[in-house]
Amino acid sequence: MTNKKIYDFIIVGGGIVGVSTALTLIKQNPSKKILLLEKEKSFAHHQTGHNSGVIHAGVYYEPGSLKAEFCREGLKETIAFCNTHGIPYEQCGKLLVATNDIELQRMDKLFDRCKANNIEAEILNQEKLHEIEPNVFGIGAILVKSTGIVDYTLITQKMSEQFESLGGEFLLNSKVTNLDENKEGIQVITSNETLSSKYLICCAGLMADRVAKLLNIKINFQIIPFRGEYFRLKEKHNSLVKHLIYPIPDPDLPFLGVHLTKMIDGTITVGPNAVLGFKREGYGMFNFSLRDTIQFLSFKGFYQVVKKNLKSGLYEIKNSIFKRGYLKEVQKYSPQIKLNDLVPYPAGIRAQAVLEDGTLVHDFLFAESERSIHVCNAPSPAATSAIPIGKYITEKASKAYKSLT
Ligand SMILES: Cc1cc2nc3c(=O)[nH]c(=O)nc-3n(C[C@H](O)[C@H](O)[C@H](O)COP(=O)(O)OP(=O)(O)OC[C@H]3O[C@@H](n4cnc5c(N)ncnc54)[C@H](O)[C@@H]3O)c2cc1C
């Protein structure tokens, strides 16, 4: 290799997954040279800084999946991290509220899922629900007390400080534009310079597929951006609910449904919905990228997703355009919220990996080359699960590194 500075590990992506990985990696490999690259001017600029801030308990996930395992572990580890570093959080608990008979039946199945995932949960009848949440309408609910709220940007910043204090290096405003893997290592070409690393870890969120393709890794998915649009409730409603209020999800739909989320700053958000985004990292409603749009339009998996989810997709678009439709979703369980109670709040964009046959990948997904590992799908609850994911990647990367050197 011709470059002066050769790193043992370079990590691409300064969201919570990349930063958590960097921290675990340096803790376990204190003598190694480790560099973290982020293209934006600060960490947590994309999904990590645009989410609901929920520390999930792991109610919904397929028992035995990485998601279920990482989420259960992640809740404990996130809270331990907050306690150690004085980061505010609150375990306010979550209520999954059934508003009709069909949802009541689904609720029973969801309760079985809680048991299968070893999550402490209890069923509440209508009276009990009314007693603890007088402003919520429902005919039954599941209460999960361990669910919490936090600011994931704060956690990511604290992790980056820890990483630096242990000798890790990072470069902001440093976009990886090309990669070249050879027998000795990987050349990492950024917007500013060329770097070299013996091993590369990519946690590039909405750009995961593009970064993997820079190494010609054969992947059978594409990232499709799904906007998650929110409103905030007017401040006079900040005490409307004590818990996070979620609908009982329709098992045929890929996302959880609009919920009321207490935020750690004391406000309450409503959302997110799920609508197709026309720009991967564009948060404004009318943001559009020709490259991003052409890319999903030329992907056959996109048409399968449209075919499979046409009805729900159109419904989501309608509610995105007409606030009144969005409101109706919330009024199912919180009828006193009125149209003018919903004030604008920034959207988030989910990096959703979609397979060529149109399957939305629900679990975490990784791809590897000899000298690299790529996080290809890290959907919610990846913020909750970032510490266990970081440990998982560190184990894989450290093993691969040893076998190569
Ligand atoms: C609307 C919404 C609500 C959510 N709510 C929750 C929740 O309540 N609880 C929960 O646990 N999870 C939630 N999630 C999921 C969670 O936010 C994400 O799963 C998690 O933040 C993913 O982290 P990440 O580090 O993989 O990605 P990101 O945070 O997107 O970070 C990826 C980083 O890689 C950088 N990058 C990309 N390409 C390059 C390049 N070429 N060179 C250098 N850097 C690059 C990007 O700039 C970015 O900073 C939510 C997500 C959304 C969108």
PDB file of all heavy atoms in Angstrom, residues 12-17 38-40 46-48 50-54 56 174-176 203-205 207 230 349-350 378-384, ligand 1:
ATOM      1  N   VAL A  12     -17.420   3.462   8.458  1.00  0.00           N
ATOM      2  CA  VAL A  12     -18.110   4.488   7.663  1.00  0.00           C
ATOM      3  C   VAL A  12     -19.512   4.680   8.252  1.00  0.00           C
ATOM      4  O   VAL A  12     -20.286   3.725   8.342  1.00  0.00           O
ATOM      5  CB  VAL A  12     -18.242   4.061   6.182  1.00  0.00           C
ATOM      6  CG1 VAL A  12     -18.929   5.156   5.370  1.00  0.00           C
ATOM      7  CG2 VAL A  12     -16.876   3.738   5.599  1.00  0.00           C
ATOM      8  N   GLY A  13     -19.834   5.908   8.639  1.00  0.00           N
ATOM      9  CA  GLY A  13     -21.187   6.211   9.119  1.00  0.00           C
ATOM     10  C   GLY A  13     -21.211   6.594  10.578  1.00  0.00           C
ATOM     11  O   GLY A  13     -20.884   5.774  11.448  1.00  0.00           O
ATOM     12  N   GLY A  14     -21.584   7.826  10.839  1.00  0.00           N
ATOM     13  CA  GLY A  14     -21.648   8.327  12.218  1.00  0.00           C
ATOM     14  C   GLY A  14     -23.061   8.442  12.740  1.00  0.00           C
ATOM     15  O   GLY A  14     -23.415   9.394  13.423  1.00  0.00           O
ATOM     16  N   GLY A  15     -23.892   7.437  12.407  1.00  0.00           N
ATOM     17  CA  GLY A  15     -25.179   7.280  13.092  1.00  0.00           C
ATOM     18  C   GLY A  15     -24.908   6.445  14.336  1.00  0.00           C
ATOM     19  O   GLY A  15     -23.761   6.051  14.605  1.00  0.00           O
ATOM     20  N   ILE A  16     -25.958   6.113  15.067  1.00  0.00           N
ATOM     21  CA  ILE A  16     -25.754   5.415  16.346  1.00  0.00           C
ATOM     22  C   ILE A  16     -25.137   4.029  16.147  1.00  0.00           C
ATOM     23  O   ILE A  16     -24.351   3.579  16.988  1.00  0.00           O
ATOM     24  CB  ILE A  16     -27.078   5.340  17.165  1.00  0.00           C
ATOM     25  CG1 ILE A  16     -26.763   4.976  18.623  1.00  0.00           C
ATOM     26  CG2 ILE A  16     -28.103   4.398  16.544  1.00  0.00           C
ATOM     27  CD1 ILE A  16     -27.909   5.223  19.582  1.00  0.00           C
ATOM     28  N   VAL A  17     -25.417   3.379  15.019  1.00  0.00           N
ATOM     29  CA  VAL A  17     -24.860   2.032  14.809  1.00  0.00           C
ATOM     30  C   VAL A  17     -23.349   2.115  14.573  1.00  0.00           C
ATOM     31  O   VAL A  17     -22.566   1.374  15.189  1.00  0.00           O
ATOM     32  CB  VAL A  17     -25.591   1.310  13.644  1.00  0.00           C
ATOM     33  CG1 VAL A  17     -24.922  -0.011  13.316  1.00  0.00           C
ATOM     34  CG2 VAL A  17     -27.051   1.087  14.001  1.00  0.00           C
ATOM     35  N   GLU A  38     -17.605  10.280   8.795  1.00  0.00           N
ATOM     36  CA  GLU A  38     -19.004  10.706   8.647  1.00  0.00           C
ATOM     37  C   GLU A  38     -19.057  11.842   7.629  1.00  0.00           C
ATOM     38  O   GLU A  38     -18.273  12.768   7.696  1.00  0.00           O
ATOM     39  CB  GLU A  38     -19.563  11.146  10.008  1.00  0.00           C
ATOM     40  CG  GLU A  38     -20.880  11.901   9.956  1.00  0.00           C
ATOM     41  CD  GLU A  38     -22.014  11.177   9.211  1.00  0.00           C
ATOM     42  OE1 GLU A  38     -22.271  10.003   9.507  1.00  0.00           O
ATOM     43  OE2 GLU A  38     -22.632  11.812   8.311  1.00  0.00           O
ATOM     44  N   LYS A  39     -19.999  11.740   6.707  1.00  0.00           N
ATOM     45  CA  LYS A  39     -20.031  12.746   5.622  1.00  0.00           C
ATOM     46  C   LYS A  39     -20.659  14.066   6.045  1.00  0.00           C
ATOM     47  O   LYS A  39     -20.433  15.083   5.416  1.00  0.00           O
ATOM     48  CB  LYS A  39     -20.724  12.189   4.385  1.00  0.00           C
ATOM     49  CG  LYS A  39     -22.204  11.925   4.525  1.00  0.00           C
ATOM     50  CD  LYS A  39     -22.744  11.424   3.197  1.00  0.00           C
ATOM     51  CE  LYS A  39     -24.077  10.748   3.322  1.00  0.00           C
ATOM     52  NZ  LYS A  39     -25.145  11.526   3.910  1.00  0.00           N
ATOM     53  N   GLU A  40     -21.450  14.050   7.116  1.00  0.00           N
ATOM     54  CA  GLU A  40     -22.098  15.296   7.539  1.00  0.00           C
ATOM     55  C   GLU A  40     -21.217  16.045   8.542  1.00  0.00           C
ATOM     56  O   GLU A  40     -20.204  15.526   8.989  1.00  0.00           O
ATOM     57  CB  GLU A  40     -23.473  14.992   8.179  1.00  0.00           C
ATOM     58  CG  GLU A  40     -24.396  14.151   7.314  1.00  0.00           C
ATOM     59  CD  GLU A  40     -24.882  14.882   6.051  1.00  0.00           C
ATOM     60  OE1 GLU A  40     -24.696  16.115   5.947  1.00  0.00           O
ATOM     61  OE2 GLU A  40     -25.422  14.203   5.155  1.00  0.00           O
ATOM     62  N   HIS A  46     -28.815  11.758  10.375  1.00  0.00           N
ATOM     63  CA  HIS A  46     -29.931  11.197   9.599  1.00  0.00           C
ATOM     64  C   HIS A  46     -30.896  10.393  10.483  1.00  0.00           C
ATOM     65  O   HIS A  46     -31.464  10.966  11.393  1.00  0.00           O
ATOM     66  CB  HIS A  46     -29.391  10.444   8.380  1.00  0.00           C
ATOM     67  CG  HIS A  46     -28.810  11.445   7.393  1.00  0.00           C
ATOM     68  ND1 HIS A  46     -29.594  12.354   6.737  1.00  0.00           N
ATOM     69  CD2 HIS A  46     -27.530  11.729   7.031  1.00  0.00           C
ATOM     70  CE1 HIS A  46     -28.854  13.156   5.988  1.00  0.00           C
ATOM     71  NE2 HIS A  46     -27.582  12.793   6.153  1.00  0.00           N
ATOM     72  N   GLN A  47     -31.054   9.090  10.251  1.00  0.00           N
ATOM     73  CA  GLN A  47     -32.100   8.371  10.996  1.00  0.00           C
ATOM     74  C   GLN A  47     -31.978   8.537  12.514  1.00  0.00           C
ATOM     75  O   GLN A  47     -32.978   8.705  13.224  1.00  0.00           O
ATOM     76  CB  GLN A  47     -32.034   6.884  10.670  1.00  0.00           C
ATOM     77  CG  GLN A  47     -32.381   6.551   9.234  1.00  0.00           C
ATOM     78  CD  GLN A  47     -32.188   5.085   8.990  1.00  0.00           C
ATOM     79  OE1 GLN A  47     -33.115   4.317   9.138  1.00  0.00           O
ATOM     80  NE2 GLN A  47     -30.987   4.676   8.639  1.00  0.00           N
ATOM     81  N   THR A  48     -30.730   8.506  12.991  1.00  0.00           N
ATOM     82  CA  THR A  48     -30.517   8.553  14.445  1.00  0.00           C
ATOM     83  C   THR A  48     -31.023   9.864  15.056  1.00  0.00           C
ATOM     84  O   THR A  48     -31.472   9.881  16.204  1.00  0.00           O
ATOM     85  CB  THR A  48     -29.011   8.362  14.738  1.00  0.00           C
ATOM     86  OG1 THR A  48     -28.629   7.116  14.158  1.00  0.00           O
ATOM     87  CG2 THR A  48     -28.707   8.364  16.212  1.00  0.00           C
ATOM     88  N   HIS A  50     -33.520  11.663  13.703  1.00  0.00           N
ATOM     89  CA  HIS A  50     -34.894  11.930  13.227  1.00  0.00           C
ATOM     90  C   HIS A  50     -35.785  10.741  13.559  1.00  0.00           C
ATOM     91  O   HIS A  50     -36.334  10.105  12.656  1.00  0.00           O
ATOM     92  CB  HIS A  50     -34.922  12.130  11.706  1.00  0.00           C
ATOM     93  CG  HIS A  50     -34.277  13.387  11.235  1.00  0.00           C
ATOM     94  ND1 HIS A  50     -32.935  13.492  10.982  1.00  0.00           N
ATOM     95  CD2 HIS A  50     -34.804  14.609  10.981  1.00  0.00           C
ATOM     96  CE1 HIS A  50     -32.664  14.723  10.575  1.00  0.00           C
ATOM     97  NE2 HIS A  50     -33.772  15.410  10.575  1.00  0.00           N
ATOM     98  N   ASN A  51     -35.878  10.394  14.827  1.00  0.00           N
ATOM     99  CA  ASN A  51     -36.749   9.264  15.158  1.00  0.00           C
ATOM    100  C   ASN A  51     -37.625   9.572  16.359  1.00  0.00           C
ATOM    101  O   ASN A  51     -37.639  10.699  16.838  1.00  0.00           O
ATOM    102  CB  ASN A  51     -35.931   7.977  15.336  1.00  0.00           C
ATOM    103  CG  ASN A  51     -34.918   8.091  16.453  1.00  0.00           C
ATOM    104  OD1 ASN A  51     -35.175   8.719  17.467  1.00  0.00           O
ATOM    105  ND2 ASN A  51     -33.753   7.498  16.256  1.00  0.00           N
ATOM    106  N   SER A  52     -38.343   8.562  16.842  1.00  0.00           N
ATOM    107  CA  SER A  52     -39.320   8.794  17.917  1.00  0.00           C
ATOM    108  C   SER A  52     -38.675   8.792  19.297  1.00  0.00           C
ATOM    109  O   SER A  52     -39.352   9.115  20.281  1.00  0.00           O
ATOM    110  CB  SER A  52     -40.417   7.720  17.880  1.00  0.00           C
ATOM    111  OG  SER A  52     -41.007   7.652  16.616  1.00  0.00           O
ATOM    112  N   GLY A  53     -37.436   8.365  19.382  1.00  0.00           N
ATOM    113  CA  GLY A  53     -36.749   8.374  20.676  1.00  0.00           C
ATOM    114  C   GLY A  53     -37.262   7.330  21.660  1.00  0.00           C
ATOM    115  O   GLY A  53     -37.129   7.491  22.875  1.00  0.00           O
ATOM    116  N   VAL A  54     -37.836   6.256  21.122  1.00  0.00           N
ATOM    117  CA  VAL A  54     -38.372   5.215  22.010  1.00  0.00           C
ATOM    118  C   VAL A  54     -37.309   4.141  22.265  1.00  0.00           C
ATOM    119  O   VAL A  54     -36.635   3.694  21.334  1.00  0.00           O
ATOM    120  CB  VAL A  54     -39.635   4.561  21.391  1.00  0.00           C
ATOM    121  CG1 VAL A  54     -40.154   3.434  22.274  1.00  0.00           C
ATOM    122  CG2 VAL A  54     -40.715   5.614  21.176  1.00  0.00           C
ATOM    123  N   HIS A  56     -37.309   0.694  22.814  1.00  0.00           N
ATOM    124  CA  HIS A  56     -38.307  -0.375  22.658  1.00  0.00           C
ATOM    125  C   HIS A  56     -37.989  -1.571  23.542  1.00  0.00           C
ATOM    126  O   HIS A  56     -36.816  -1.886  23.794  1.00  0.00           O
ATOM    127  CB  HIS A  56     -38.364  -0.836  21.195  1.00  0.00           C
ATOM    128  CG  HIS A  56     -39.052   0.155  20.297  1.00  0.00           C
ATOM    129  ND1 HIS A  56     -40.412   0.345  20.308  1.00  0.00           N
ATOM    130  CD2 HIS A  56     -38.560   1.027  19.372  1.00  0.00           C
ATOM    131  CE1 HIS A  56     -40.734   1.287  19.424  1.00  0.00           C
ATOM    132  NE2 HIS A  56     -39.627   1.716  18.843  1.00  0.00           N
ATOM    133  N   SER A 174     -16.655  14.127   5.789  1.00  0.00           N
ATOM    134  CA  SER A 174     -15.753  13.230   5.066  1.00  0.00           C
ATOM    135  C   SER A 174     -16.570  12.119   4.401  1.00  0.00           C
ATOM    136  O   SER A 174     -16.876  11.097   5.020  1.00  0.00           O
ATOM    137  CB  SER A 174     -14.776  12.652   6.096  1.00  0.00           C
ATOM    138  OG  SER A 174     -13.582  12.347   5.499  1.00  0.00           O
ATOM    139  N   LYS A 175     -16.928  12.362   3.166  1.00  0.00           N
ATOM    140  CA  LYS A 175     -17.804  11.404   2.461  1.00  0.00           C
ATOM    141  C   LYS A 175     -16.971  10.355   1.744  1.00  0.00           C
ATOM    142  O   LYS A 175     -16.048  10.707   0.991  1.00  0.00           O
ATOM    143  CB  LYS A 175     -18.665  12.175   1.461  1.00  0.00           C
ATOM    144  CG  LYS A 175     -19.579  11.283   0.671  1.00  0.00           C
ATOM    145  CD  LYS A 175     -20.479  12.064  -0.241  1.00  0.00           C
ATOM    146  CE  LYS A 175     -21.321  11.086  -1.057  1.00  0.00           C
ATOM    147  NZ  LYS A 175     -22.234  11.765  -1.939  1.00  0.00           N
ATOM    148  N   VAL A 176     -17.287   9.105   1.946  1.00  0.00           N
ATOM    149  CA  VAL A 176     -16.606   8.039   1.209  1.00  0.00           C
ATOM    150  C   VAL A 176     -17.181   8.002  -0.199  1.00  0.00           C
ATOM    151  O   VAL A 176     -18.385   7.803  -0.382  1.00  0.00           O
ATOM    152  CB  VAL A 176     -16.790   6.676   1.920  1.00  0.00           C
ATOM    153  CG1 VAL A 176     -16.241   5.544   1.085  1.00  0.00           C
ATOM    154  CG2 VAL A 176     -16.134   6.721   3.293  1.00  0.00           C
ATOM    155  N   CYS A 203     -21.601   1.330   8.093  1.00  0.00           N
ATOM    156  CA  CYS A 203     -22.904   1.487   8.758  1.00  0.00           C
ATOM    157  C   CYS A 203     -23.536   2.733   8.157  1.00  0.00           C
ATOM    158  O   CYS A 203     -23.692   3.758   8.830  1.00  0.00           O
ATOM    159  CB  CYS A 203     -22.727   1.672  10.265  1.00  0.00           C
ATOM    160  SG  CYS A 203     -21.653   0.437  11.026  1.00  0.00           S
ATOM    161  N   ALA A 204     -23.867   2.661   6.878  1.00  0.00           N
ATOM    162  CA  ALA A 204     -24.182   3.867   6.107  1.00  0.00           C
ATOM    163  C   ALA A 204     -25.669   4.154   5.980  1.00  0.00           C
ATOM    164  O   ALA A 204     -26.068   5.034   5.211  1.00  0.00           O
ATOM    165  CB  ALA A 204     -23.542   3.775   4.723  1.00  0.00           C
ATOM    166  N   GLY A 205     -26.510   3.449   6.731  1.00  0.00           N
ATOM    167  CA  GLY A 205     -27.938   3.786   6.806  1.00  0.00           C
ATOM    168  C   GLY A 205     -28.599   3.866   5.439  1.00  0.00           C
ATOM    169  O   GLY A 205     -28.650   2.879   4.687  1.00  0.00           O
ATOM    170  N   MET A 207     -27.649   4.966   2.791  1.00  0.00           N
ATOM    171  CA  MET A 207     -26.736   4.776   1.646  1.00  0.00           C
ATOM    172  C   MET A 207     -26.097   3.380   1.676  1.00  0.00           C
ATOM    173  O   MET A 207     -25.141   3.129   0.940  1.00  0.00           O
ATOM    174  CB  MET A 207     -25.626   5.839   1.668  1.00  0.00           C
ATOM    175  CG  MET A 207     -26.129   7.242   1.595  1.00  0.00           C
ATOM    176  SD  MET A 207     -26.955   7.520  -0.006  1.00  0.00           S
ATOM    177  CE  MET A 207     -27.869   9.001   0.350  1.00  0.00           C
ATOM    178  N   TYR A 230     -44.389  13.324  11.075  1.00  0.00           N
ATOM    179  CA  TYR A 230     -44.926  13.540  12.424  1.00  0.00           C
ATOM    180  C   TYR A 230     -45.660  14.871  12.513  1.00  0.00           C
ATOM    181  O   TYR A 230     -45.416  15.787  11.724  1.00  0.00           O
ATOM    182  CB  TYR A 230     -43.780  13.672  13.439  1.00  0.00           C
ATOM    183  CG  TYR A 230     -42.932  12.457  13.683  1.00  0.00           C
ATOM    184  CD1 TYR A 230     -41.792  12.219  12.919  1.00  0.00           C
ATOM    185  CD2 TYR A 230     -43.230  11.583  14.723  1.00  0.00           C
ATOM    186  CE1 TYR A 230     -40.976  11.133  13.173  1.00  0.00           C
ATOM    187  CE2 TYR A 230     -42.414  10.497  14.985  1.00  0.00           C
ATOM    188  CZ  TYR A 230     -41.295  10.272  14.208  1.00  0.00           C
ATOM    189  OH  TYR A 230     -40.494   9.200  14.470  1.00  0.00           O
ATOM    190  N   ILE A 349     -36.646   9.628   7.879  1.00  0.00           N
ATOM    191  CA  ILE A 349     -36.719   8.761   6.691  1.00  0.00           C
ATOM    192  C   ILE A 349     -36.104   7.404   7.028  1.00  0.00           C
ATOM    193  O   ILE A 349     -34.948   7.320   7.451  1.00  0.00           O
ATOM    194  CB  ILE A 349     -35.999   9.400   5.483  1.00  0.00           C
ATOM    195  CG1 ILE A 349     -36.642  10.767   5.186  1.00  0.00           C
ATOM    196  CG2 ILE A 349     -36.090   8.486   4.255  1.00  0.00           C
ATOM    197  CD1 ILE A 349     -35.975  11.546   4.102  1.00  0.00           C
ATOM    198  N   ARG A 350     -36.912   6.365   6.833  1.00  0.00           N
ATOM    199  CA  ARG A 350     -36.434   5.016   7.134  1.00  0.00           C
ATOM    200  C   ARG A 350     -35.637   4.465   5.957  1.00  0.00           C
ATOM    201  O   ARG A 350     -36.078   4.577   4.821  1.00  0.00           O
ATOM    202  CB  ARG A 350     -37.610   4.060   7.391  1.00  0.00           C
ATOM    203  CG  ARG A 350     -38.553   4.487   8.490  1.00  0.00           C
ATOM    204  CD  ARG A 350     -39.747   3.537   8.479  1.00  0.00           C
ATOM    205  NE  ARG A 350     -40.769   3.881   9.452  1.00  0.00           N
ATOM    206  CZ  ARG A 350     -41.760   4.744   9.236  1.00  0.00           C
ATOM    207  NH1 ARG A 350     -41.860   5.358   8.065  1.00  0.00           N
ATOM    208  NH2 ARG A 350     -42.659   4.981  10.170  1.00  0.00           N
ATOM    209  N   ALA A 378     -30.863  -1.853   8.991  1.00  0.00           N
ATOM    210  CA  ALA A 378     -30.912  -1.626  10.448  1.00  0.00           C
ATOM    211  C   ALA A 378     -32.141  -0.784  10.750  1.00  0.00           C
ATOM    212  O   ALA A 378     -32.053   0.387  11.087  1.00  0.00           O
ATOM    213  CB  ALA A 378     -29.643  -0.934  10.924  1.00  0.00           C
ATOM    214  N   PRO A 379     -33.329  -1.424  10.605  1.00  0.00           N
ATOM    215  CA  PRO A 379     -34.568  -0.679  10.826  1.00  0.00           C
ATOM    216  C   PRO A 379     -34.858  -0.525  12.319  1.00  0.00           C
ATOM    217  O   PRO A 379     -34.132  -1.077  13.152  1.00  0.00           O
ATOM    218  CB  PRO A 379     -35.612  -1.575  10.166  1.00  0.00           C
ATOM    219  CG  PRO A 379     -35.077  -2.956  10.341  1.00  0.00           C
ATOM    220  CD  PRO A 379     -33.581  -2.853  10.321  1.00  0.00           C
ATOM    221  N   SER A 380     -35.914   0.185  12.641  1.00  0.00           N
ATOM    222  CA  SER A 380     -36.330   0.284  14.036  1.00  0.00           C
ATOM    223  C   SER A 380     -36.500  -1.131  14.573  1.00  0.00           C
ATOM    224  O   SER A 380     -37.045  -1.976  13.864  1.00  0.00           O
ATOM    225  CB  SER A 380     -37.661   1.040  14.122  1.00  0.00           C
ATOM    226  OG  SER A 380     -38.001   1.220  15.466  1.00  0.00           O
ATOM    227  N   PRO A 381     -36.015  -1.478  15.717  1.00  0.00           N
ATOM    228  CA  PRO A 381     -35.486  -0.656  16.799  1.00  0.00           C
ATOM    229  C   PRO A 381     -33.950  -0.626  16.829  1.00  0.00           C
ATOM    230  O   PRO A 381     -33.357  -0.908  17.882  1.00  0.00           O
ATOM    231  CB  PRO A 381     -36.027  -1.370  18.026  1.00  0.00           C
ATOM    232  CG  PRO A 381     -35.921  -2.842  17.634  1.00  0.00           C
ATOM    233  CD  PRO A 381     -36.101  -2.908  16.147  1.00  0.00           C
ATOM    234  N   ALA A 382     -33.332  -0.220  15.729  1.00  0.00           N
ATOM    235  CA  ALA A 382     -31.864  -0.264  15.713  1.00  0.00           C
ATOM    236  C   ALA A 382     -31.245   0.794  16.616  1.00  0.00           C
ATOM    237  O   ALA A 382     -30.098   0.654  17.032  1.00  0.00           O
ATOM    238  CB  ALA A 382     -31.342  -0.109  14.285  1.00  0.00           C
ATOM    239  N   ALA A 383     -31.986   1.855  16.941  1.00  0.00           N
ATOM    240  CA  ALA A 383     -31.419   2.828  17.885  1.00  0.00           C
ATOM    241  C   ALA A 383     -31.368   2.182  19.266  1.00  0.00           C
ATOM    242  O   ALA A 383     -30.324   2.208  19.943  1.00  0.00           O
ATOM    243  CB  ALA A 383     -32.248   4.104  17.882  1.00  0.00           C
ATOM    244  N   THR A 384     -32.465   1.548  19.662  1.00  0.00           N
ATOM    245  CA  THR A 384     -32.495   0.815  20.938  1.00  0.00           C
ATOM    246  C   THR A 384     -31.393  -0.247  20.965  1.00  0.00           C
ATOM    247  O   THR A 384     -30.748  -0.468  21.992  1.00  0.00           O
ATOM    248  CB  THR A 384     -33.862   0.076  21.087  1.00  0.00           C
ATOM    249  OG1 THR A 384     -34.907   1.010  20.906  1.00  0.00           O
ATOM    250  CG2 THR A 384     -33.983  -0.622  22.424  1.00  0.00           C
TER     251      THR A 384
HETATM  252  C1  LIG B   1     -39.169   7.923  11.602  1.00  0.00           C
HETATM  253  C2  LIG B   1     -38.307   6.958  12.369  1.00  0.00           C
HETATM  254  C3  LIG B   1     -38.632   6.613  13.682  1.00  0.00           C
HETATM  255  C4  LIG B   1     -37.830   5.722  14.388  1.00  0.00           C
HETATM  256  N1  LIG B   1     -38.092   5.483  15.715  1.00  0.00           N
HETATM  257  C5  LIG B   1     -37.270   4.687  16.417  1.00  0.00           C
HETATM  258  C6  LIG B   1     -37.441   4.528  17.811  1.00  0.00           C
HETATM  259  O1  LIG B   1     -38.286   5.160  18.426  1.00  0.00           O
HETATM  260  N2  LIG B   1     -36.615   3.662  18.473  1.00  0.00           N
HETATM  261  C7  LIG B   1     -35.647   2.956  17.825  1.00  0.00           C
HETATM  262  O2  LIG B   1     -34.948   2.164  18.454  1.00  0.00           O
HETATM  263  N3  LIG B   1     -35.433   3.126  16.495  1.00  0.00           N
HETATM  264  C8  LIG B   1     -36.195   3.994  15.803  1.00  0.00           C
HETATM  265  N4  LIG B   1     -35.975   4.208  14.479  1.00  0.00           N
HETATM  266  C9  LIG B   1     -34.892   3.486  13.818  1.00  0.00           C
HETATM  267  C10 LIG B   1     -33.546   4.109  14.129  1.00  0.00           C
HETATM  268  O3  LIG B   1     -33.592   5.518  14.145  1.00  0.00           O
HETATM  269  C11 LIG B   1     -32.544   3.639  13.075  1.00  0.00           C
HETATM  270  O4  LIG B   1     -32.698   2.252  12.900  1.00  0.00           O
HETATM  271  C12 LIG B   1     -31.115   3.919  13.498  1.00  0.00           C
HETATM  272  O5  LIG B   1     -30.973   5.278  13.817  1.00  0.00           O
HETATM  273  C13 LIG B   1     -30.167   3.503  12.389  1.00  0.00           C
HETATM  274  O6  LIG B   1     -28.898   3.988  12.714  1.00  0.00           O
HETATM  275  P1  LIG B   1     -27.740   3.922  11.638  1.00  0.00           P
HETATM  276  O7  LIG B   1     -26.494   4.369  12.321  1.00  0.00           O
HETATM  277  O8  LIG B   1     -27.763   2.580  10.986  1.00  0.00           O
HETATM  278  O9  LIG B   1     -28.189   4.936  10.476  1.00  0.00           O
HETATM  279  P2  LIG B   1     -28.101   6.533  10.387  1.00  0.00           P
HETATM  280  O10 LIG B   1     -28.443   7.181  11.651  1.00  0.00           O
HETATM  281  O11 LIG B   1     -28.905   6.914   9.197  1.00  0.00           O
HETATM  282  O12 LIG B   1     -26.573   6.797  10.115  1.00  0.00           O
HETATM  283  C14 LIG B   1     -25.917   6.459   8.921  1.00  0.00           C
HETATM  284  C15 LIG B   1     -24.803   7.478   8.731  1.00  0.00           C
HETATM  285  O13 LIG B   1     -23.975   7.101   7.652  1.00  0.00           O
HETATM  286  C16 LIG B   1     -23.517   8.291   7.012  1.00  0.00           C
HETATM  287  N5  LIG B   1     -23.069   7.965   5.672  1.00  0.00           N
HETATM  288  C17 LIG B   1     -23.806   7.421   4.667  1.00  0.00           C
HETATM  289  N6  LIG B   1     -23.065   7.288   3.557  1.00  0.00           N
HETATM  290  C18 LIG B   1     -21.820   7.760   3.853  1.00  0.00           C
HETATM  291  C19 LIG B   1     -20.637   7.914   3.105  1.00  0.00           C
HETATM  292  N7  LIG B   1     -20.565   7.558   1.810  1.00  0.00           N
HETATM  293  N8  LIG B   1     -19.548   8.448   3.712  1.00  0.00           N
HETATM  294  C20 LIG B   1     -19.599   8.824   5.031  1.00  0.00           C
HETATM  295  N9  LIG B   1     -20.716   8.707   5.783  1.00  0.00           N
HETATM  296  C21 LIG B   1     -21.821   8.186   5.207  1.00  0.00           C
HETATM  297  C22 LIG B   1     -24.776   9.171   7.028  1.00  0.00           C
HETATM  298  O14 LIG B   1     -24.467  10.533   6.834  1.00  0.00           O
HETATM  299  C23 LIG B   1     -25.345   8.867   8.405  1.00  0.00           C
HETATM  300  O15 LIG B   1     -24.921   9.777   9.395  1.00  0.00           O
HETATM  301  C24 LIG B   1     -36.733   5.115  13.756  1.00  0.00           C
HETATM  302  C25 LIG B   1     -36.388   5.480  12.448  1.00  0.00           C
HETATM  303  C26 LIG B   1     -37.153   6.414  11.773  1.00  0.00           C
HETATM  304  C27 LIG B   1     -36.732   6.844  10.407  1.00  0.00           C
END
